[in-house]
Amino acid sequence: MTVSDLIRVLLQLPAEEVRGGARLVVVDRTTAARLSREMTRWGHHYNQAVHALNAIAYYLRANDMETAEVVEELSRAERKLCRNAARGRVAEASGGGALRKRPRRAGEVTGVPMLKTISGHTSAKGIRRYLTKEGRALAEDYINLEPPAPGRPFDWAEAMDRIRRLYGNDSAWRGRRARTYKHYVVSPDPKDRISLDGLRALATGWARKCFPDHEVAIVYHDDNAGGIPHAHVVVNNTNLETGRRLQDPDPKALARSLQGAAESLGMSPLEAVPRSSVAARAERRRPRPAASTRREENVGRAEKELSDRGEYSWVADIRARVRVARSVARSETEFRSLLGSLGVTVSENSPHAPRRDWVYAFADRPSRRVSGERLGLSYSRERLEPVLRTGGFRRIADAGERAIAAAARSAVELGDLEELRTLSEAVALVESSRATCVADLDRLAMDARGAELAAYARRIGMLPEQRPEPRLGAKPSKSCLGRVAGNRGSRGIGSAETPRTPERQERGKQR
């Protein structure tokens, strides 16, 4: 701070405080910037500490950590925080503020898994311009695209955009932007010293296997730090055989497929970097067995046979009640309370069981009990507990949730199992279709049963008749309106102002 800056600051001080001998602290811009950086660093450290403590508490609640392991994790978190604080002090002393990481260039191989996935939501012209600018494209390959004669430039982005427009796959879906293409970066192991021809064989073979009915453009670069060639695979979102949009493939399955293709060509597959989080270390200490099923709805053979014959199945009865409760509950306490009103209890399974889960049973018939994973993964504790902790599914409006809960309680009190089954199927239809109004269910009704479920949802008031208008902004409260009205006079905002006629003007002059 220069002398002139100090004089300017002192001239702006309140005279009363200075005359009274109060202690004043003057902070210049440079010091204020340093204080801001320091407070930001404290915030980062606080978030890291809370995250570590929450992870430890989660595994303590699940009985997956011993006392020695807790002490080890706390010491590890403390060392990490101290190390980050020391790095921050070094950066501050060097005058550079917080330490900045060197930005990674596109396609740079850093030891991470060899397949990177990026979703595009705009025209493919932008990604083509990025991949071919400044002549850095080594070569290009095409699948299900018809380029012109060799040597002539080919605008594959325009061809992809034209196909999407033709099939109507570039428009938004349920209020969300359309995913117009998928961009995959294929980076081979640097130790293989792969040639461009070998990389082209790997990328084209993998793309033909995973996307046989889609338009694919592959562009090859070597602009990373080591000059290692890598491939950019751009897949259009339209299936040329069915005209449907590309469903988001499983990234792990695609990575495994690419690993297999690399091994078949004699290359060494890259291994994924082991995770170092608290959850990963707890899982390595005590490996958790896989779930008994991977199905969201697991219907056993006996239950299916009883359902086909039109007979009662107590497992299906419990599933229907749990499905209704999970669709309207906003917390675990509310979930247990609602199930209790429907005659179903929720308890923890045995502490010696290999996987932690909930067990559902009839309150009046405790011997009839079934675990959540036995009903399906969507009923398990592992799936429901995080959802209920964050406020529930919230796929249905408050009025619809109240109507569902009232209909379920009435069906249980009257012993109307057919009504409960219909309610459960209607809830399942709304969840799977993500319908927001009864008109959506009417359009989705493909058979007589679908029409019956739509009529039932309309009768009990599960969904509104028409799709609600989107809320573009919060509506001002009455108190806020009154406050603004008081500032503008006694008429208020909503009242119309009486026009000033000549008679009123004359009476005003006389007063």
Side-chain angles (χ1 to χ4, degrees):
M1 174 180 281
T2 63
V3 176
S4 60
D5 292 336
L6 178 60
I7 296 299
R8 291 190 184 96
V9 172
L10 293 177
L11 289 175
Q12 296 176 6
L13 296 177
E16 294 79 5
E17 299 292 339
V18 175
R19 188 179 301 110
R23 183 178 179 182
L24 301 175
V25 178
V26 181
V27 180
D28 61 340
R29 293 183 178 180
T30 303
T31 306
R34 290 180 178 178
L35 289 174
S36 176
R37 286 196 296 269
E38 184 67 19
M39 295 303 296
T40 302
R41 188 156 53 242
W42 285 8
H44 290 332
H45 292 172
Y46 173 79
N47 290 337
Q48 291 175 356
V50 170
H51 178 74
L53 293 177
N54 285 337
I56 293 172
Y58 174 81
Y59 284 98
L60 278 175
R61 287 194 297 268
N63 296 325
D64 283 345
M65 295 185 73
E66 303 293 343
T67 304
E69 297 170 349
V70 174
V71 174
E72 178 187 352
E73 294 298 337
L74 289 174
S75 301
R76 189 190 303 272
E78 182 179 5
R79 290 194 301 270
K80 186 175 180 180
L81 289 174
C82 293
R83 185 168 60 251
N84 291 343
R87 291 179 61 199
R89 287 192 295 270
V90 170
E92 187 67 30
S94 62
L99 289 179
R100 295 183 176 90
K101 296 182 179 179
R102 180 182 63 84
R104 187 169 67 87
R105 300 175 63 183
E108 181 178 350
V109 179
T110 59
V112 296
M114 63 189 304
L115 183 66
K116 179 180 179 181
T117 306
I118 306 170
S119 295
H121 301 276
T122 58
S123 169
K125 293 182 179 179
I127 185 63
R128 179 182 180 273
R129 185 166 52 250
Y130 166 75
L131 295 177
T132 59
K133 69 179 180 180
E134 300 177 359
R136 57 178 177 167
L138 302 178
E140 296 185 11
D141 285 322
Y142 310 106
I143 299 175
N144 297 322
L145 289 166
E146 298 180 0
R152 296 181 57 187
F154 175 47
D155 191 355
W156 48 266
E158 176 61 29
M160 290 185 177
D161 293 345
R162 184 171 60 253
I163 288 295
R164 282 199 312 275
R165 288 194 299 268
L166 179 63
Y167 285 94
N169 289 338
D170 56 353
S171 58
W173 176 253
R174 297 189 181 276
R176 299 180 179 179
R177 292 190 304 164
R179 184 176 58 243
T180 52
Y181 62 86
K182 297 289 288 187
H183 176 200
Y184 301 95
V185 183
V186 179
S187 301
D189 192 335
K191 295 181 294 185
D192 286 330
R193 301 186 179 277
I194 189 173
S195 63
L196 178 60
D197 293 337
L199 179 60
R200 296 181 74 170
L202 172 64
T204 55
W206 173 77
R208 290 183 187 279
K209 178 181 178 182
C210 296
F211 309 101
D213 300 324
H214 292 79
E215 293 176 320
V216 181
I218 309 175
V219 183
Y220 304 93
H221 288 171
D222 63 350
D223 55 352
N224 49 36
I228 303 168
H230 53 275
H232 295 264
V233 182
V234 181
V235 183
N236 199 14
N237 79 334
T238 300
N239 189 308
L240 300 177
E241 293 294 329
T242 63
R244 299 184 178 226
R245 305 187 189 210
L246 172 66
Q247 300 301 313
D248 198 4
D250 182 11
K252 294 182 179 179
L254 291 177
R256 287 193 296 268
S257 174
L258 185 58
Q259 300 279 0
E263 287 182 319
S264 65
L265 295 176
M267 304 176 190
S268 56
L270 290 179
E271 297 181 357
V273 177
R275 297 179 300 165
S276 59
S277 61
V278 176
R281 289 193 293 272
E283 186 174 351
R284 286 196 293 269
R285 282 191 296 264
R286 294 187 178 183
R288 301 178 60 191
S292 58
T293 180
R294 294 184 179 275
R295 300 176 181 175
E296 297 292 317
E297 298 278 343
N298 184 33
V299 180
R301 184 176 62 182
E303 180 184 351
K304 188 176 185 305
E305 292 176 353
L306 290 173
S307 178
D308 293 341
R309 294 198 301 264
E311 299 179 7
Y312 172 76
S313 169
W314 64 268
V315 177
D317 191 2
I318 290 181
R319 176 184 284 106
R321 303 186 192 201
V322 176
R323 180 187 293 154
V324 170
R326 77 177 184 187
S327 65
V328 301
R330 299 290 180 87
S331 64
E332 182 178 340
T333 303
E334 187 176 345
F335 176 67
R336 291 174 179 268
S337 175
L338 183 55
L339 273 180
S341 65
L342 299 181
V344 176
T345 62
V346 185
S347 60
E348 309 287 341
N349 64 347
S350 171
H352 303 291
R355 291 177 60 85
R356 309 300 298 156
D357 199 5
W358 284 333
V359 177
Y360 306 103
F362 286 114
D364 54 348
R365 291 164 290 173
S367 60
R368 294 191 170 181
R369 46 196 288 127
V370 60
S371 65
E373 289 187 353
R374 174 77 180 277
L375 298 176
L377 286 181
S378 58
Y379 302 89
S380 63
R381 173 183 174 178
E382 186 179 55
R383 184 70 59 83
L384 287 179
E385 195 173 40
V387 174
L388 296 174
R389 191 183 299 121
T390 55
F393 289 100
R394 294 179 179 269
R395 292 174 181 167
I396 303 175
D398 294 345
E401 291 181 352
R402 290 193 294 269
I404 291 173
R409 292 191 184 98
S410 175
V412 171
E413 291 175 0
L414 299 176
D416 192 346
L417 299 181
E418 182 62 26
E419 173 84 5
L420 186 62
R421 185 174 69 89
T422 303
L423 175 63
S424 176
E425 291 182 4
V427 169
L429 178 61
V430 172
E431 289 181 350
S432 61
S433 63
R434 297 184 180 272
T436 58
C437 61
V438 181
D440 291 342
L441 293 181
D442 292 336
R443 287 191 292 269
L444 294 171
M446 305 298 294
D447 52 10
R449 185 57 179 172
E452 292 177 5
L453 295 178
Y456 178 80
R458 177 182 286 108
R459 180 169 62 84
I460 68 171
M462 183 184 302
L463 295 174
E465 285 292 335
Q466 299 296 330
R467 183 171 300 171
E469 294 293 334
R471 294 185 60 186
L472 300 179
K475 187 176 180 181
S477 61
K478 292 183 179 179
S479 60
C480 178
L481 289 177
R483 196 161 50 246
V484 176
N487 294 336
R488 295 192 179 183
S490 60
R491 294 188 184 91
I493 292 178
S495 60
E497 183 178 0
T498 306
R500 294 180 60 85
T501 60
E503 292 79 4
R504 291 186 61 214
Q505 294 178 3
E506 185 63 28
R507 286 197 299 271
K509 291 179 181 179
Q510 293 176 0
R511 285 197 297 269

